């Protein structure tokens, strides 16, 4: 039986900004909350790497809000009602004020008003949709937010289980009633009984180069699927285009150069900064190329790759030479780190590459409630479809917390199927008997994870085609049939055995990869972030549809559902 049993009103799985925010909003309503995270709460997922905070939407005039809304429709694949309610939620939740109340100090102008910056300039050279806020420097913002939220929920009495991996969501009668977990720091198998469960597990690090943290492998999606929830738009992925290539150690920290941030700031800050022009990009021949393209920056770089003037993993360069060095020194957190490496960010051309960032799709949720369709299970942040971005993490977290607490106050404590718990305990701990000492030579889990990431990087990257996707499926099937049966641990210790953690991750990571590749094969068109070179045109006639994934009779089922054009239509 379990080494320890917890019984709480609300269980939150995930220690990034979405999970921390859900804990904050739930405790404000008096709920008894426990939070578990595979890493360290406040330092998990990719949210701690976010450069800036989008809570400044609250300052946008109505016409700019509409422009932002259209941008968040992701080329008409989004749930338009969800997109609209996320914007309304900024007014209702006011996450910027919430964070300032718990100690996050926003950069301000000389007149005391909050400094709001933009990612881009419009055709007139003016900041376009300025809604980003900074705390300290651009690049430090999310670290400050995460630290403040962690301290606040600890002050409110939230119990945090760091270094603990959720192994299964427990169900009874079609409802989620808790979870099992393994604490690899103490070597404990844990049972968590809960009236409500919130998934805040973030996105999926399935590609070789990715902004996500090591522990984010997409298992939140699979946990939800196994419990009866649905996934949507899993073929859509956002990208970053300026992750530093050298030195290699920086890849471990994903040092991303924020090439578009800060527009409007130099103009606002007393006019003392002399110049502030967009970053410049150069190909491997040293030729400057325009980063402007109707399909976005990523396509502009892809065109250089197709010409042999850049690579997927580098070979092109970014320069900040048009920005005032004093501005960079004062507002870019990377400046000091790069100085120690002998790099002058204001002058040098820095080699960069593309990295995968966040899934745009995810668990299908209801606007304003974050319900997944499975009673007792809610989702927020990047694991939920369309909820990427720190401000959306907080809005969706408030929805999930409200719904979870309401349910917890209304129902009796659920009963647990102990046979289900025992079966899961046996599955988890059985890996400790599969070591090289007991079953002979095999394959450590990390090698299988790297193989999956290599396949996804090479065959299911930004520019896709049927030949590559079919080969990806074949190679993933080979992993399932030939490599997974040979997977062994290098140690049978219960404590700090990361081989055990990764052995638990591999099956769900693999299934998540298969889902993404299969959905990518189904969509025979190109649309925004999703590009296929064998179907280069957007096909509204046949593909104005969402791909919805669920388990049915123990097997994955992929359906297409017409997009509800509630507010905006492509032809308008």
């Amino acid at each position: 039986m379990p080494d320890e049993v917890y019984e709480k009103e609300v269980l939150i799985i995930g220690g990034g900004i979405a999970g921390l925010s859900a804990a904050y909003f739930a405790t404000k309503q008096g709920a008894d909350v426990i939070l578990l995270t595979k890493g360290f709460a406040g330092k998990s997922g990719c949210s701690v790497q976010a450069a800036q905070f989008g809570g400044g939407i609250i300052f946008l005039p109505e016409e700019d809000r509409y422009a932002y809304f259209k941008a968040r429709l992701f080329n008409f694949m989004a749930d338009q009602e969800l997109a609209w309610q996320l914007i309304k939620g900024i007014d209702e939740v006011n996450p910027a004020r919430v964070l300032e109340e718990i100690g996050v100090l926003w950069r301000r102008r000389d007149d005391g008003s909050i400094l709001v910056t933009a990612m881009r300039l419009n055709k007139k050279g003016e900041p376009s949709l300025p809604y980003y806020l900074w705390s300290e420097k651009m690049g430090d913002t999310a670290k400050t937010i995460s630290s403040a939220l962690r301290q606040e929920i600890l002050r409110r009495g939230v119990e945090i289980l760091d270094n603990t991996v959720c192994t299964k969501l427990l169900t009874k009668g079609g409802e989620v009633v808790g979870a099992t977990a393994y604490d690899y720091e103490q070597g404990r198998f844990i049972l968590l009984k809960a009236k409500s469960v919130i998934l805040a597990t973030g996105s999926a690090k399935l590609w070789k180069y990715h902004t996500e943290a090591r522990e984010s492998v997409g298992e939140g999606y699979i946990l939800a699927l196994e419990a009866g929830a649905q996934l949507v738009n899993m073929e859509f992925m956002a990208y970053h285009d300026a992750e530093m290539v050298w030195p290699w150690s920086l890849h471990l920290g994903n040092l991303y150069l924020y090439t578009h941030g800060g527009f409007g700031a130099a103009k606002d800050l007393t006019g003392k900064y002399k110049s502030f022009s967009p970053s410049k990009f150069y190909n491997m021949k040293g030729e400057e190329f325009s980063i402007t393209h109707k399909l976005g920056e990523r396509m502009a770089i892809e065109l250089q790759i197709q010409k042999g003037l850049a690579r997927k993993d580098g070979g092109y360069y970014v320069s900040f030479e048009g920005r005032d060095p004093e501005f960079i020194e004062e507002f870019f957190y990377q400046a000091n780190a790069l100085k120690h490496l002998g790099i002058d960010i204001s002058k040098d051309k820095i080699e960069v590459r593309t990295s995968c960032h966040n899934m745009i799709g995810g668990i299908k949720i209801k606007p304003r409630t974050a319900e997944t369709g499975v009673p007792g299970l809610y989702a927020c942040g990047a694991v939920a479809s369309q909820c990427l971005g720190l401000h959306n993490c907080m809005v969706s977290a408030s929805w999930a917390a409200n719904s979870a607490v309401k349910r917890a106050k209304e129902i009796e404590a659920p009963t647990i199927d102990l046979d289900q718990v025992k079966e899961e305990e046996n599955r988890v701990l059985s890996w400790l008997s599969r070591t090289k000492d007991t079953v002979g030579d095999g394959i450590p889990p990390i090698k299988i994870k790297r193989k999956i990431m290599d396949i996804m990087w090479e065959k299911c990257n930004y520019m896709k085609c049927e030949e590559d996707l079919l080969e990806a499926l074949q190679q993933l099937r080979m992993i399932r049939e030939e490599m997974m049966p040979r997977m062994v641990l290098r140690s049978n210790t219960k404590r700090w055995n990361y081989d055990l953690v990764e052995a638990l991750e591999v099956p769900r990571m693999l299934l998540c990869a298969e889902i993404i590749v299969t959905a990518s094969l189904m969509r025979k068109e190109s649309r925004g972030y999703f590009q296929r070179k064998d179907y280069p045109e957007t096909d509204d006639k046949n593909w104005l549809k969402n791909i919805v994934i669920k388990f049915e009779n123990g097997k994955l089922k992929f359906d297409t559902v017409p997009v509800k054009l509630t507010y905006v239509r492509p032809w308008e």
Side-chain angles (χ1 to χ4, degrees):
M1 293 304 291
D3 297 300
E4 190 146 4
V5 178
Y6 295 88
E7 189 163 354
K8 300 286 184 177
E9 290 183 310
V10 178
L11 163 64
I12 298 169
I13 303 170
I17 284 175
L20 297 172
S21 298
Y24 169 80
F25 290 120
T27 54
K28 279 196 75 174
Q29 300 174 63
D32 187 15
V33 177
I34 189 168
L35 182 148
L36 71 84
T37 176
K38 198 193 300 182
F40 187 81
K43 297 190 176 184
S44 295
C46 80
S47 56
V48 292
Q49 300 179 58
Q52 43 207 1
F53 182 70
I57 291 169
I58 200 167
F59 303 122
L60 287 178
E62 202 62 36
E63 62 271 19
D64 283 349
R65 286 187 179 211
Y66 182 67
Y68 170 83
F69 167 68
K70 289 183 71 175
R72 301 299 288 193
L73 294 182
F74 302 115
N75 300 89
F76 297 96
M77 281 296 101
D79 178 332
Q80 295 195 9
E81 186 61 36
L82 175 56
W84 183 244
Q85 293 301 331
L86 283 168
I87 295 174
K88 289 181 67 176
I90 295 290
D91 289 321
E92 296 163 358
V93 176
N94 198 344
R97 178 179 294 172
V98 166
L99 291 170
E100 196 152 49
E101 288 174 350
I102 64 170
V104 177
L105 302 180
W106 304 115
R107 293 299 296 244
R108 294 180 179 270
R109 302 181 180 92
D110 288 346
D111 64 5
S113 61
I114 292 176
L115 175 67
V116 185
T117 73
M119 288 282 280
R120 294 172 176 81
L121 301 176
N122 60 23
K123 293 179 180 179
K124 297 179 181 179
E126 299 168 339
S128 176
L129 298 180
Y131 62 87
Y132 285 105
L133 314 181
W134 297 342
S135 181
E136 185 54 29
K137 296 186 177 185
M138 186 173 74
D140 279 334
T141 302
K143 298 179 182 69
T144 305
I145 294 172
S146 297
S147 177
L149 281 168
R150 178 183 170 94
Q151 291 178 48
E152 179 64 17
I153 66 171
L154 285 171
R155 188 182 70 81
R156 290 172 175 270
V158 173
E159 191 161 4
I160 296 177
L161 303 180
D162 290 317
N163 304 314
T164 302
V165 55
C166 177
T167 70
K168 183 180 179 63
L169 294 180
L170 299 173
T171 58
K172 189 166 186 180
E175 301 184 359
V176 170
V177 295
T180 54
Y182 188 76
D183 171 0
Y184 62 90
E185 179 179 339
Q186 300 296 327
R188 302 179 301 161
F189 184 79
I190 297 169
L191 167 62
L192 301 112
K193 301 178 181 179
K195 297 178 180 180
S196 300
V197 177
I198 298 174
L199 279 175
T201 50
S203 190
K205 185 170 185 173
L206 300 181
W207 290 262
K208 184 176 181 179
Y209 302 115
H210 205 294
T211 61
E212 278 286 353
R214 172 181 181 177
E215 66 266 13
S216 303
V217 297
E219 59 200 331
Y221 303 122
I222 308 306
L223 287 168
L225 267 183
E226 292 169 346
Q230 298 180 348
L231 305 181
V232 64
N233 291 337
M234 290 294 286
E235 67 274 27
F236 287 89
M237 162 68 71
Y239 296 82
H240 274 175
D241 298 316
E243 183 180 272
M244 286 185 64
V245 170
W246 180 91
W248 171 252
S249 58
L250 289 181
H251 169 64
L252 302 177
N254 295 307
L255 185 53
Y256 178 75
L257 298 177
Y258 299 98
T259 56
H260 301 291
F263 292 117
K267 182 179 179 182
D268 281 348
L269 294 174
T270 68
K272 70 176 182 178
Y273 301 107
K274 299 172 184 176
S275 59
F276 197 85
S277 59
S279 308
K280 296 180 180 180
F281 282 78
Y282 297 87
N283 60 31
M284 60 177 58
K285 287 188 174 181
E287 302 166 337
E288 184 179 352
F289 64 92
S290 173
I291 201 67
T292 303
H293 191 279
K294 66 179 181 179
L295 294 177
E297 293 87 349
R298 183 66 196 86
M299 181 57 80
I301 294 166
E302 182 63 34
L303 292 176
Q304 295 296 310
I305 294 172
Q306 291 176 10
K307 294 175 183 177
L309 299 175
R311 306 185 311 274
K312 283 190 295 187
D313 61 350
Y316 63 98
Y317 302 79
V318 66
S319 168
F320 292 82
E321 60 196 68
R323 303 193 188 188
D324 191 309
E326 291 184 21
F327 182 88
I328 291 174
E329 183 74 23
E330 184 170 350
F331 291 102
F332 275 44
Y333 93 103
Q334 302 105 321
N336 189 52
L338 294 178
K339 187 183 296 184
H340 287 291
L341 294 170
I343 297 172
D344 186 340
I345 193 173
S346 67
K347 296 179 181 178
D348 296 340
K349 295 181 178 67
I350 303 169
E351 186 179 7
V352 291
R353 63 167 162 253
T354 296
S355 56
C356 298
H357 182 42
N358 264 334
M359 301 297 299
I360 293 171
I363 301 170
K364 192 172 183 179
I365 64 168
K366 293 181 181 179
R368 301 194 67 82
T369 66
E371 294 171 302
T372 64
V374 181
L377 181 63
Y378 310 89
C380 61
V383 75
S385 180
Q386 297 176 218
C387 293
L388 62 160
L390 301 188
H391 52 298
N392 289 327
C393 284
M394 290 193 69
V395 171
S396 59
S398 72
W399 294 346
N402 292 343
S403 299
V405 174
K406 182 175 183 295
R407 174 182 170 84
K409 300 299 183 184
E410 292 176 348
I411 69 170
E412 297 295 325
T415 57
I416 301 292
D417 180 354
L418 293 179
D419 289 338
Q420 201 177 143
V421 176
K422 186 61 179 177
E423 181 181 352
E424 181 63 8
E425 183 179 14
N426 289 338
R427 183 187 76 86
V428 170
L429 298 183
S430 67
W431 279 107
L432 296 175
S433 63
R434 287 188 55 81
T435 67
K436 288 187 176 183
D437 292 336
T438 58
V439 298
D441 287 339
I443 305 172
I446 186 61
K447 287 192 174 182
I448 300 179
K449 288 178 67 174
R450 288 174 179 162
K451 180 69 173 176
I452 294 170
M453 289 189 281
D454 285 343
I455 293 168
M456 295 297 285
W457 178 258
E458 294 297 333
K459 302 299 180 182
C460 189
N461 207 305
Y462 177 75
M463 188 61 72
K464 305 171 180 68
C465 68
E466 183 170 343
E467 180 182 357
D468 284 347
L469 294 170
L470 287 173
E471 188 172 343
L473 275 182
Q474 182 179 359
Q475 291 183 22
L476 293 172
R477 192 173 300 117
M478 180 275 294
I479 290 175
R480 183 175 295 282
E481 295 173 355
E482 298 179 19
M483 296 183 74
M484 279 183 53
R486 297 175 55 212
M487 187 161 64
V488 298
L489 311 188
R490 289 167 290 187
S491 168
N492 65 355
T493 182
K494 284 189 172 184
R495 300 182 66 176
W496 293 111
N497 190 340
Y498 216 83
D499 268 6
L500 173 57
V501 174
E502 291 182 321
L504 298 173
E505 290 174 340
V506 164
R508 288 178 175 139
M509 183 180 182
L510 179 60
L511 182 57
C512 192
E514 290 170 332
I515 287 169
I516 292 168
V517 175
T518 302
S520 298
L521 263 173
M522 288 179 65
R523 183 168 294 280
K524 292 179 168 54
E525 65 158 355
S526 292
R527 183 180 294 272
Y529 286 109
F530 180 84
Q531 292 291 313
R532 284 192 53 167
K533 57 188 176 185
D534 46 353
Y535 294 95
E537 303 298 325
T538 299
D539 184 358
D540 285 336
K541 181 179 179 181
N542 296 302
W543 276 105
L544 204 56
K545 300 174 183 176
N546 299 127
I547 296 176
V548 178
I549 304 107
K550 61 183 177 181
F551 269 125
E552 193 170 280
N553 298 321
K555 295 183 178 180
L556 283 177
K557 183 178 181 183
F558 293 75
D559 290 323
T560 57
V561 179
V563 175
K564 290 183 179 179
L565 303 172
T566 311
Y567 297 108
V568 187
R569 298 167 181 81
W571 51 86
E572 293 179 343

